[in-house]
Amino acid sequence: MNVIEVRNLTVSYNKKPAIKGINLNIEAGSVIGIIGPNGAGKSTLLKGILGLLPADTGDVKVFGKSIKEVSKGISYIPQREQFDWDFPVNVEEVVMMGRYAHLPMIGIPKGKDRDIVNRVLKKVEMEKYSKRQIRFLSGGQQQRIFLARALAQESDIYFLDEPFVGVDAKTEQAIFNLMKELKEENKTILVVHHDLGKVKEYFDKLILINQRLVAFGDAEDVFTSEIIHKTYGGRLTILQKSEQYY
Ligand code: ADP
Ligand code: MG
């Protein structure tokens, strides 16, 4: 069964389409990279699938249902600049936000929720920082607590928008290892990524997008110079000397 089905999805800002007529069938248990140049509509695609932006046309089904019916099973880590870093909360509180969907109406965390928060903080090696205000964390540490929050949610599907931007090599490796672990648990992980290095190492499947879907398939099959050129068009300066990628 497909975990996510996207049919003819078009999303616009001020009537100008950012993504057009996107069709995707995504199965469980894979790490999928969303690749394309700046402004290609990668973040818009995630927000469109998540129902955070209204669709002009099209339809999204997650586990065969509309996204609103399954929000509990979905974690989303937005691109980092979209977060207010001066917001006065500490690490533990941010990670506990991942449990809110599981809490009863009054929203008081139980022992079990605290256990989960402690466990995921250990997993991302941030347990020593649980009381620290988030504005005093490095970029890599901030990304780790967002990951911890997503893990605390115990979702089936994870949407990560450029999780590797501004993080150190060790954090990048930690994020990659977690993606692999989630995949082993048959979870689905969609990752916006704009750097073409390590693409085949990181992702099983790729969505190549530039407003329209250029290609979707196994990374082995679609990460070819022809398809990459088609995706990046004239803007492909960084790729000229990049035979190592193919
Ligand atoms: P990507 O994530 O691939 O860099 P985006 O999905 O952020 O691209 O943006 C796709 C296009 O939509 C770009 O041309 C961008 O300028 C435009 N866009 C994105 N967000 C907004 C917004 N809030 N209002 C108006 N235009 C936007
Ligand atoms: Mg983006």
mmCIF file of all heavy atoms in Angstrom, residues 148-168:
data_model
loop_
_atom_site.group_PDB
_atom_site.id
_atom_site.type_symbol
_atom_site.label_atom_id
_atom_site.label_comp_id
_atom_site.label_asym_id
_atom_site.label_seq_id
_atom_site.Cartn_x
_atom_site.Cartn_y
_atom_site.Cartn_z
ATOM 1 N N ALA A 148 14.943 15.226 17.918
ATOM 2 C CA ALA A 148 14.437 14.573 19.131
ATOM 3 C C ALA A 148 12.935 14.807 19.256
ATOM 4 O O ALA A 148 12.181 13.897 19.590
ATOM 5 C CB ALA A 148 15.170 15.102 20.362
ATOM 6 N N ARG A 149 12.506 16.025 18.953
ATOM 7 C CA ARG A 149 11.069 16.310 19.038
ATOM 8 C C ARG A 149 10.297 15.445 18.051
ATOM 9 O O ARG A 149 9.254 14.876 18.379
ATOM 10 C CB ARG A 149 10.805 17.794 18.762
ATOM 11 C CG ARG A 149 9.333 18.142 18.907
ATOM 12 C CD ARG A 149 9.051 19.588 18.614
ATOM 13 N NE ARG A 149 9.374 19.918 17.237
ATOM 14 C CZ ARG A 149 9.190 21.117 16.703
ATOM 15 N NH1 ARG A 149 8.706 22.095 17.439
ATOM 16 N NH2 ARG A 149 9.508 21.345 15.447
ATOM 17 N N ALA A 150 10.833 15.330 16.834
ATOM 18 C CA ALA A 150 10.165 14.501 15.829
ATOM 19 C C ALA A 150 10.129 13.036 16.266
ATOM 20 O O ALA A 150 9.126 12.344 16.085
ATOM 21 C CB ALA A 150 10.878 14.639 14.480
ATOM 22 N N LEU A 151 11.215 12.564 16.871
ATOM 23 C CA LEU A 151 11.252 11.170 17.331
ATOM 24 C C LEU A 151 10.276 10.940 18.481
ATOM 25 O O LEU A 151 9.631 9.894 18.559
ATOM 26 C CB LEU A 151 12.668 10.791 17.787
ATOM 27 C CG LEU A 151 13.741 10.756 16.700
ATOM 28 C CD1 LEU A 151 15.119 10.575 17.319
ATOM 29 C CD2 LEU A 151 13.459 9.635 15.696
ATOM 30 N N ALA A 152 10.158 11.948 19.365
ATOM 31 C CA ALA A 152 9.258 11.819 20.514
ATOM 32 C C ALA A 152 7.817 11.635 20.067
ATOM 33 O O ALA A 152 7.005 11.027 20.742
ATOM 34 C CB ALA A 152 9.367 13.049 21.416
ATOM 35 N N GLN A 153 7.519 12.139 18.893
ATOM 36 C CA GLN A 153 6.165 12.041 18.358
ATOM 37 C C GLN A 153 5.820 10.619 17.923
ATOM 38 O O GLN A 153 4.664 10.295 17.723
ATOM 39 C CB GLN A 153 6.070 13.005 17.172
ATOM 40 C CG GLN A 153 4.725 13.654 17.018
ATOM 41 C CD GLN A 153 4.740 14.648 15.859
ATOM 42 O OE1 GLN A 153 5.732 15.343 15.632
ATOM 43 N NE2 GLN A 153 3.642 14.710 15.136
ATOM 44 N N GLU A 154 6.833 9.781 17.760
ATOM 45 C CA GLU A 154 6.655 8.385 17.345
ATOM 46 C C GLU A 154 5.767 8.278 16.112
ATOM 47 O O GLU A 154 4.756 7.577 16.102
ATOM 48 C CB GLU A 154 6.099 7.552 18.499
ATOM 49 C CG GLU A 154 7.051 7.551 19.688
ATOM 50 C CD GLU A 154 6.634 6.636 20.815
ATOM 51 O OE1 GLU A 154 5.441 6.642 21.176
ATOM 52 O OE2 GLU A 154 7.498 5.893 21.309
ATOM 53 N N SER A 155 6.172 8.990 15.081
ATOM 54 C CA SER A 155 5.373 9.059 13.863
ATOM 55 C C SER A 155 5.696 7.919 12.905
ATOM 56 O O SER A 155 6.675 7.201 13.083
ATOM 57 C CB SER A 155 5.661 10.378 13.156
ATOM 58 O OG SER A 155 5.326 11.446 13.982
ATOM 59 N N ASP A 156 4.876 7.824 11.880
ATOM 60 C CA ASP A 156 5.143 6.866 10.798
ATOM 61 C C ASP A 156 5.840 7.542 9.633
ATOM 62 O O ASP A 156 6.525 6.902 8.855
ATOM 63 C CB ASP A 156 3.829 6.266 10.307
ATOM 64 C CG ASP A 156 3.137 5.516 11.417
ATOM 65 O OD1 ASP A 156 3.783 4.650 12.016
ATOM 66 O OD2 ASP A 156 1.961 5.827 11.708
ATOM 67 N N ILE A 157 5.618 8.850 9.506
ATOM 68 C CA ILE A 157 6.195 9.597 8.380
ATOM 69 C C ILE A 157 6.923 10.827 8.915
ATOM 70 O O ILE A 157 6.394 11.544 9.772
ATOM 71 C CB ILE A 157 5.095 10.055 7.394
ATOM 72 C CG1 ILE A 157 4.211 8.876 6.995
ATOM 73 C CG2 ILE A 157 5.705 10.706 6.165
ATOM 74 C CD1 ILE A 157 3.047 9.271 6.116
ATOM 75 N N TYR A 158 8.117 11.046 8.400
ATOM 76 C CA TYR A 158 8.929 12.185 8.819
ATOM 77 C C TYR A 158 9.227 13.067 7.621
ATOM 78 O O TYR A 158 9.694 12.575 6.594
ATOM 79 C CB TYR A 158 10.256 11.695 9.427
ATOM 80 C CG TYR A 158 10.045 10.988 10.746
ATOM 81 C CD1 TYR A 158 9.619 9.667 10.787
ATOM 82 C CD2 TYR A 158 10.237 11.664 11.942
ATOM 83 C CE1 TYR A 158 9.386 9.027 11.997
ATOM 84 C CE2 TYR A 158 10.010 11.043 13.155
ATOM 85 C CZ TYR A 158 9.589 9.723 13.174
ATOM 86 O OH TYR A 158 9.353 9.104 14.366
ATOM 87 N N PHE A 159 8.957 14.350 7.758
ATOM 88 C CA PHE A 159 9.299 15.321 6.724
ATOM 89 C C PHE A 159 10.397 16.218 7.280
ATOM 90 O O PHE A 159 10.173 16.924 8.275
ATOM 91 C CB PHE A 159 8.098 16.209 6.396
ATOM 92 C CG PHE A 159 6.969 15.497 5.700
ATOM 93 C CD1 PHE A 159 5.957 14.888 6.415
ATOM 94 C CD2 PHE A 159 6.917 15.472 4.318
ATOM 95 C CE1 PHE A 159 4.908 14.251 5.768
ATOM 96 C CE2 PHE A 159 5.862 14.840 3.655
ATOM 97 C CZ PHE A 159 4.867 14.223 4.376
ATOM 98 N N LEU A 160 11.571 16.204 6.654
ATOM 99 C CA LEU A 160 12.677 17.035 7.132
ATOM 100 C C LEU A 160 13.061 18.004 6.022
ATOM 101 O O LEU A 160 13.378 17.580 4.911
ATOM 102 C CB LEU A 160 13.891 16.157 7.482
ATOM 103 C CG LEU A 160 13.670 14.889 8.305
ATOM 104 C CD1 LEU A 160 15.004 14.173 8.540
ATOM 105 C CD2 LEU A 160 13.036 15.215 9.637
ATOM 106 N N ASP A 161 13.024 19.300 6.323
ATOM 107 C CA ASP A 161 13.365 20.288 5.292
ATOM 108 C C ASP A 161 14.797 20.779 5.518
ATOM 109 O O ASP A 161 15.049 21.542 6.447
ATOM 110 C CB ASP A 161 12.360 21.447 5.322
ATOM 111 C CG ASP A 161 12.377 22.242 4.015
ATOM 112 O OD1 ASP A 161 13.376 22.145 3.265
ATOM 113 O OD2 ASP A 161 11.391 22.958 3.756
ATOM 114 N N GLU A 162 15.707 20.312 4.697
ATOM 115 C CA GLU A 162 17.127 20.672 4.754
ATOM 116 C C GLU A 162 17.741 20.486 6.147
ATOM 117 O O GLU A 162 18.291 21.426 6.739
ATOM 118 C CB GLU A 162 17.316 22.118 4.263
ATOM 119 C CG GLU A 162 16.699 22.307 2.880
ATOM 120 C CD GLU A 162 17.534 23.187 1.957
ATOM 121 O OE1 GLU A 162 18.730 23.393 2.249
ATOM 122 O OE2 GLU A 162 16.991 23.626 0.937
ATOM 123 N N PRO A 163 17.685 19.261 6.657
ATOM 124 C CA PRO A 163 18.178 19.031 8.025
ATOM 125 C C PRO A 163 19.683 19.173 8.168
ATOM 126 O O PRO A 163 20.173 19.330 9.281
ATOM 127 C CB PRO A 163 17.760 17.579 8.310
ATOM 128 C CG PRO A 163 17.676 16.942 6.971
ATOM 129 C CD PRO A 163 17.188 18.022 6.041
ATOM 130 N N PHE A 164 20.420 19.133 7.077
ATOM 131 C CA PHE A 164 21.879 19.152 7.186
ATOM 132 C C PHE A 164 22.468 20.550 7.084
ATOM 133 O O PHE A 164 23.672 20.724 7.224
ATOM 134 C CB PHE A 164 22.505 18.283 6.079
ATOM 135 C CG PHE A 164 22.091 16.847 6.144
ATOM 136 C CD1 PHE A 164 21.579 16.213 5.025
ATOM 137 C CD2 PHE A 164 22.218 16.118 7.314
ATOM 138 C CE1 PHE A 164 21.197 14.883 5.063
ATOM 139 C CE2 PHE A 164 21.839 14.786 7.369
ATOM 140 C CZ PHE A 164 21.328 14.164 6.242
ATOM 141 N N VAL A 165 21.631 21.540 6.789
ATOM 142 C CA VAL A 165 22.170 22.892 6.604
ATOM 143 C C VAL A 165 22.629 23.465 7.944
ATOM 144 O O VAL A 165 21.892 23.451 8.925
ATOM 145 C CB VAL A 165 21.121 23.819 5.952
ATOM 146 C CG1 VAL A 165 21.587 25.265 5.987
ATOM 147 C CG2 VAL A 165 20.865 23.382 4.520
ATOM 148 N N GLY A 166 23.863 23.940 7.995
ATOM 149 C CA GLY A 166 24.376 24.594 9.196
ATOM 150 C C GLY A 166 24.723 23.651 10.332
ATOM 151 O O GLY A 166 24.857 24.095 11.462
ATOM 152 N N VAL A 167 24.827 22.356 10.052
ATOM 153 C CA VAL A 167 25.215 21.437 11.133
ATOM 154 C C VAL A 167 26.636 20.929 10.874
ATOM 155 O O VAL A 167 27.116 20.909 9.744
ATOM 156 C CB VAL A 167 24.235 20.252 11.290
ATOM 157 C CG1 VAL A 167 22.803 20.759 11.416
ATOM 158 C CG2 VAL A 167 24.339 19.247 10.158
ATOM 159 N N ASP A 168 27.302 20.499 11.949
ATOM 160 C CA ASP A 168 28.661 19.977 11.824
ATOM 161 C C ASP A 168 28.616 18.548 11.273
ATOM 162 O O ASP A 168 27.559 17.913 11.234
ATOM 163 C CB ASP A 168 29.330 20.001 13.197
ATOM 164 C CG ASP A 168 28.471 19.324 14.241
ATOM 165 O OD1 ASP A 168 27.436 19.914 14.646
ATOM 166 O OD2 ASP A 168 28.773 18.192 14.626
#
